[in-house]
Structure formats: C-alpha cells, structure tokens
C-alpha cells in the first residue's frame, strides 16, 4: 500500500510522493532554548522521530533539519535577568536538549542549525521581500511583512479573510488567529535587548522568530522540500508566516506536506513552560520510567489525538514494553545463545499488517495491535513447542522491524560486541563464498572462546 499522510494544507489524507524519488527532505521546528524542554515538546519530537523511522523503514533516504531558536524575546529576557551572555545561556539548554534526545533514543537530526549562526541568510531574505514589495520598513528601523500583498495568506490555518485587518501590525512573535496582522521580520534594537543585536541595512536589531525557520530551511533543504512538521501551536502564526515569507521571497513553492502533532495535556491543559505544568525527561526517568516505557507512553497515542499524560501511564507502558522484550528473549533463547538472523520479517503475516497500519498516516494503534496479536499466538506456539526454528528466526526479524520504529527493546550484552561483529563478518564472507576468510574468522572466534555453528536458521554462537 502506498503511504498516506494527513496534510494540514488540504485537511485530508494524501498519498505521499517525494519530490526526488527515494529521498525525503524533512524540516521540523526545534526548541526555543531558554529553558529545559518538557515532555510536551518531546511528544512532538518523538512523533517526528516516528515519522523519520517509518520513512527509513520504507527505504527512503532522509535529510532531517531541526532548528534551534537561540534568540527571541524569551531568551533575551532570561539572559538579561540572569546577567549572563545569551550564548552561554542557550549553550546550556542546547546541551541538555541533546542529552534528553539521547535518553529518549531519538535519532539525531542531520543538522541542528542555530538561528544566531544564520543571521546573514535572514537579512538576505528580508532584503528580497522588501525589493519585491512584500515588506516595508517602519520609522524605528523595524521591518514588517504586509499580509495584504500575499493573496494566499491564511490558507494553511484556514482563516476567515473577512476578518483580516492588514493595516494593523504586531510586534510579538506569537499572536492569535482571530486577528491576523502584519508581522515582524526584523525588530529594531531596544534598551531591553541589552547586548543582543546585529547590524543590518535597516540598523541594529534582530530577526523575528518566523524568518529564522524560512531562512534556515531554504538554506539546508532548498526552496522547495517535502515535509515540514511541528506541534499544532506552530500552525498559526508561525507556519502561516513561514509560507508567506518563503513563497514571496523565492517566488517558488515551499513545502508539499505539513504534518502537525496534537498537544500533550496535563490535567486537561496544554503542557507549557508558561503555565508551569510540566515534567522533564530527567525527572520522569528518576521517578521510575525507563527510556523505553517513556518512549512507549509518548508514542502509543496517534499523533493527531491529544495525549493526556498521567504518571499512571508508567505501569501500562512498562507492561507493554515488557511483553515485547519477553517474547524477544524467549525467541532468542529458543533459537540459541546468539543467532545472526537470516530470517525475514516479511514471512511473518503480522509484519504486513504492521506496515499497512503505519502506511495509513502512522496508525500506531493498528500497528501495535498486529504486534500484540502475534505475540499472543507465538507465546502459545512456544509453550507447546510447536514453533519451527525458521519461524522463530523470522519472528526475531519481525521484532527487529518493530523495534526499528519503536526502539523499545534492550539487547543482551552478554556476548561482546567484538564477537558479534566477527560473526557478522563471517556470515558476509560465506555469502561471498569466501571460504578461506570464513574459516579464518571461525578459528579466530575459537581462539577467543566461541564456537560457531551454521544452521538453516542462521549462524549460532556458543561459548566453549
Ligand atoms: P518551543 O520550544 O515552545 O518552540 O516548542 C518546540 C516544539 O514543541 C514545537 O513544535 C511545539 O509545537 C511543541 N510543543 C510545545 N508544547 C507542546 C505540548 N504541550 N504538546 C506537544 N507539543 C508541544
Ligand atoms: Zn519553526
């Protein structure tokens, strides 16, 4: 089945076709690094991880860019209040962000551009918008985008154009959908900005938030790319404004598919730094979640549904993760101490259902139900010893496929990595019919204390 994603732009599921065959360019809005990211932010980042892992499973190459917003009203306010240079403040939170990414086993993006390293590109884009008469300069040296110059303004957010009041201006980066206004591209320097400013053709100042993502996505992925993601709160004004800026500055199409994840809620309210109702990854790991159970808790609700987070989710998620881990361990034991799997996930019917569900706009509930149904049946076959060794290896291959999406398994580290590596090299040598090399590796393994045995299900390692 072909892949279908719900595209916010058309408000329906569309068949996904990348611009370049076999490759996907993906841009996801990253954190504002004035504080530690909370698990609401990570719900969105984990959804983006799911999307990327799915695309990789389908055989696409993926170039993923996530920006780091290291200058805005909030970062400046905090650096002034704490009397530390803005770069020191944001460095601290960027390091914490990367450490949480690792704890949650999120595959890192290929690029994490920082806004303050790309001011020149933003100035160029603003210049182009002024030249093309989509933007204007005010007396204080600020620059605004004039929304009345762009006929498609409001299409992404489905705005009522009757309400549009193009003569009004808004200086703040975030504002409500009820009153779309001309928004700021460049903010003239004010006393409260302290040391934070850059020189520009319009005088000292700093970029607005929206232009950051337009300039950096275009720089890393080109004018026109495949997928842009963020949480639903990014839809308006941020993404609406990104479209207006990019399309008007380049005269080209911008993004083909817009995917937005719903909010994570705590006590029925959006988890947010400003409301003060948040959990951090570190504190949940200290409170008994594992990386795997936290990933599961954040992933197992469909990305377009609100996720009500409670601490009780810990038990439910741990139970589900343990069931997958237990069957994996049982199958590994059933096959041998260690098997270099030759099996194929495709020979397990559940694998077809698993992928089919994900093909349908990342239907995780459907995908997980195919996994748990298969676990139930396979446990019975293991109990009654009616599972063939070949089906067991194919089952392991299926679980590795499931794990390539959810990453909730822990692997037995009792066999040293060096030994596993040698076993893999030997399998490869045998595939190449390089018997001399395969015999040499077998002897080397023997000298290191391991016997290797070839079976129809794959190579098996046993300690001597
Ligand atoms: P910020 O650091 O506020 O710029 O947010 C970074 C990302 O987290 C953005 O994509 C937001 O849409 C997303 N986000 C913020 N709060 C939540 C939440 N409670 N649930 C899900 N995503 C969120
Ligand atoms: Zn953005």
């Amino acid at each position: 089945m072909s892949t279908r994603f719900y595209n916010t732009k058309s408000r329906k599921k569309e068949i996904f076709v990348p611009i370049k065959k076999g490759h996907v360019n993906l841009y996801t809005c990253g954190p504002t690094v004035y504080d530690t990211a909370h698990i609401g932010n990570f719900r969105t980042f984990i959804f983006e991880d799911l999307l990327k892992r799915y695309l990789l499973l389908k055989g696409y190459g993926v170039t993923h860019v996530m920006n780091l917003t290291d200058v805005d009203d909030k970062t400046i306010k905090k650096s002034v209040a704490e009397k530390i240079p803005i770069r020191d403040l944001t460095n601290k939170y960027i390091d914490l962000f990367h450490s949480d990414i690792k704890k949650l086993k999120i595959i890192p993006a290929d690029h994490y551009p920082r806004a303050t390293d790309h001011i020149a590109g933003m100035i160029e884009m603003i210049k182009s918008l002024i030249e093309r008469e989509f933007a204007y300069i005010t007396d204080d040296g600020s620059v605004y985008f004039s929304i009345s110059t762009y006929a498609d303004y409001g299409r992404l957010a489905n705005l009522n154009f009757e309400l549009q009041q193009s003569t009004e201006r808004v200086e703040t980066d975030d504002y409500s959908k009820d009153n779309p206004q001309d928004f700021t591209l460049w903010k003239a320097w004010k006393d409260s900005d302290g040391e934070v400013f850059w020189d520009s053709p319009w005088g000292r100042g700093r970029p607005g938030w929206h232009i950051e993502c337009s300039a950096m996505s275009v720089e890393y992925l080109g004018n026109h790319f495949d997928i842009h993601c963020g949480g639903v709160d990014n839809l308006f004004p941020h993404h609406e404004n990104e479209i207006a800026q990019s399309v008007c500055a380049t005269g080209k199409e911008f993004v083909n598919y817009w995917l937005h994840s719903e909010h994570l809620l705590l006590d029925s309210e959006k988890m947010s730094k400003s409301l003060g109702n948040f959990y951090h990854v570190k504190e949940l790991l200290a409170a008994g979640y594992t990386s795997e159970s936290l990933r599961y808790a954040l992933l197992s609700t469909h990305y377009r549904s609100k996720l009500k987070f409670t601490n009780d989710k810990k038990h439910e998620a741990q139970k589900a993760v343990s069931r997958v881990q237990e069957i994996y361990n049982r199958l590994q034991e059933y096959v041998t101490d260690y098997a270099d799997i030759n099996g194929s996930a495709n020979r397990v019917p559940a694998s077809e259902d698993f992928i089919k569900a994900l093909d349908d706009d990342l239907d995780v509930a459907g995908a997980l139900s195919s996994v748990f149904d298969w676990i139930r049946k396979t446990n019975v076959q293991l109990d009654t010893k009616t599972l063939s060794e070949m089906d067991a290896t194919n089952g392991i291959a299926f679980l590795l496929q499931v794990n390539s999406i959810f990453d909730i398994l822990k692997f037995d580290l009792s066999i040293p990595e060096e030994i596993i590596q040698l076993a893999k090299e030997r399998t490869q040598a045998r595939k190449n019919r390089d018997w001399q090399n395969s015999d040499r590796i077998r002897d080397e393994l023997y000298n290191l204390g391991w016997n290797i045995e070839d079976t129809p299900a794959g190579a098996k390692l046993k300690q001597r």
Side-chain angles (χ1 to χ4, degrees):
M1 196 169 101
S2 44
T3 298
R4 294 188 316 147
F5 291 138
Y6 181 88
N7 190 348
T8 308
K9 201 158 75 167
S10 61
R11 286 190 163 60
K12 50 179 196 252
K13 287 185 197 169
E14 291 177 18
I15 292 185
F16 175 69
V17 184
I19 297 167
K20 190 173 145 215
K21 198 165 179 263
H23 196 89
V24 179
N25 279 337
L26 169 69
Y27 186 91
T28 60
C29 288
T32 309
V33 284
Y34 75 107
D35 211 336
T36 313
H38 53 66
I39 56 151
N41 303 125
F42 279 105
R43 196 238 168 147
T44 291
F45 302 146
I46 272 211
F47 143 66
E48 293 155 352
D49 186 54
L50 167 74
L51 169 67
K52 181 157 108 188
R53 285 168 178 268
Y54 164 77
L55 292 168
L56 292 169
L57 177 66
K58 294 293 280 189
Y60 292 107
V62 179
T63 304
H64 176 200
V65 179
M66 176 180 269
N67 69 297
L68 300 169
T69 299
D70 64 350
V71 59
D72 79 328
D73 297 341
K74 291 180 273 196
T75 39
I76 294 177
K77 202 165 152 199
K78 193 157 178 183
S79 85
V80 170
E82 296 192 356
K83 297 193 176 65
I84 47 173
I86 192 165
R87 192 87 181 173
D88 293 351
L89 176 88
T90 54
N91 278 346
K92 171 176 158 190
Y93 292 111
I94 289 172
D95 288 349
L96 283 171
F97 171 68
H98 287 305
S99 133
D100 284 348
I101 285 277
K102 208 164 167 191
K103 284 188 195 119
L104 282 178
K105 299 162 110 179
I106 290 175
I107 302 176
D110 300 284
H111 306 279
Y112 286 106
R114 295 175 69 145
T116 55
D117 291 336
H118 295 79
I119 305 286
M122 296 173 207
I123 290 177
E124 281 311 307
M125 196 171 241
I126 298 170
K127 266 200 219 159
S128 155
L129 287 167
I130 296 171
E131 273 160 27
R132 291 164 171 248
E133 299 183 351
F134 291 109
Y136 58 92
I137 309 163
T138 52
D139 291 344
D140 68 343
S142 292
V143 183
Y144 284 84
F145 185 94
S146 163
I147 60 172
S148 62
T149 60
Y150 178 50
D152 278 346
Y153 191 83
R155 264 188 69 182
L156 182 74
N158 229 351
L159 296 189
N160 179 350
F161 288 92
E162 308 272 299
L163 289 176
Q164 203 165 298
Q165 298 174 27
S166 61
T167 51
E168 292 181 19
R169 282 200 288 266
V170 59
E171 195 198 336
T172 145
D173 283 325
D174 237 342
Y175 51 96
S176 112
K177 196 167 145 176
D178 301 330
N179 195 13
Q181 293 162 318
D182 288 358
F183 59 90
T184 172
L185 298 169
W186 186 261
K187 299 185 184 202
W189 181 83
K190 291 189 299 240
D191 284 342
S192 57
D193 291 339
E195 303 285 298
V196 183
F197 62 83
W198 287 264
D199 288 321
S200 80
W202 320 286
R204 282 178 171 187
R206 64 184 164 97
W209 170 35
H210 316 298
I211 196 79
E212 295 182 8
C213 285
S214 280
M216 291 190 279
S217 58
V218 163
E219 181 171 335
Y220 285 84
L221 300 174
N223 294 332
H224 183 202
F225 58 92
D226 300 295
I227 308 181
H228 194 314
C229 300
V232 278
D233 56 319
N234 279 167
L235 209 167
F236 190 89
H238 186 50
H239 291 162
E240 190 72 60
N241 292 352
E242 270 189 52
I243 296 174
Q245 296 161 154
S246 299
V247 171
C248 295
T250 66
K252 305 262 167 44
E253 282 182 84
F254 181 39
V255 169
N256 283 357
Y257 301 88
W258 287 89
L259 271 62
H260 291 100
S261 59
E262 254 301 345
H263 281 146
L264 180 146
L265 310 178
L266 195 65
D267 302 329
S268 304
E269 283 206 85
K270 177 195 168 198
M271 180 171 284
S272 75
K273 289 166 202 165
S274 51
L275 288 175
N277 61 340
F278 53 79
Y279 286 125
H280 291 144
V281 171
K282 199 171 157 189
E283 77 190 280
L284 289 177
L285 293 181
Y289 270 96
T290 59
S291 298
E292 290 74 23
S293 61
L294 188 49
R295 272 186 73 81
Y296 190 90
L298 294 175
L299 273 173
S300 47
T301 299
H302 189 262
Y303 77 93
R304 284 192 292 115
S305 301
K306 291 186 169 55
L307 165 57
K308 287 193 174 178
F309 192 84
T310 63
N311 240 331
D312 298 344
K313 289 217 179 267
K314 182 165 62 193
H315 308 292
E316 211 181 292
Q318 192 52 57
K319 219 167 117 190
V321 167
S322 300
R323 287 190 63 204
V324 180
Q325 184 73 54
E326 274 159 26
I327 187 98
Y328 178 79
N329 294 348
R330 274 193 94 179
L331 288 174
Q332 273 291 2
E333 256 170 50
Y334 195 75
V335 188
T336 177
D337 290 343
Y338 166 78
D340 191 6
I341 296 305
N342 284 341
S344 158
N346 300 333
R347 298 220 188 91
V348 178
S351 162
E352 201 178 306
D353 296 340
F354 178 72
I355 294 179
K356 215 190 269 174
L358 294 175
D359 284 341
D360 182 14
D361 195 31
L362 304 171
D363 172 12
V364 280
L368 285 170
S369 99
S370 68
V371 175
F372 288 113
D373 284 351
W374 172 82
I375 291 180
R376 242 186 317 275
K377 283 183 208 141
T378 308
N379 268 324
V380 173
Q381 288 176 303
L382 282 167
D383 291 342
T384 52
K385 298 202 170 20
T386 51
L387 190 73
S388 72
E389 191 141 334
M390 189 56 91
D391 282 347
T393 25
N394 290 338
I396 295 174
F398 173 50
L399 287 170
L400 294 177
Q401 181 181 68
V402 171
N403 200 52
S404 74
I405 294 289
F406 289 97
D407 212 340
I408 50 173
L409 286 176
K410 281 189 177 149
F411 293 100
D412 178 10
L413 300 175
S414 58
I415 303 178
E417 183 54 35
E418 173 201 12
I419 301 295
I420 294 178
Q421 202 46 43
L422 280 170
K424 284 186 176 162
E425 279 170 30
R426 182 173 169 279
T427 304
Q428 192 53 47
R430 285 174 63 82
K431 272 192 196 144
N432 300 343
R433 310 182 74 78
D434 181 354
W435 311 119
Q436 206 181 343
N437 219 0
S438 107
D439 287 350
R440 183 191 58 73
I441 298 173
R442 192 196 51 215
D443 293 346
E444 193 177 339
L445 282 166
Y446 183 86
N447 290 334
L448 291 167
W450 294 83
N451 273 328
I452 192 155
E453 186 189 314
D454 296 302
T455 76
K460 293 177 176 183
L461 276 170
K462 279 212 163 85
Q463 209 152 9
R464 286 201 288 126

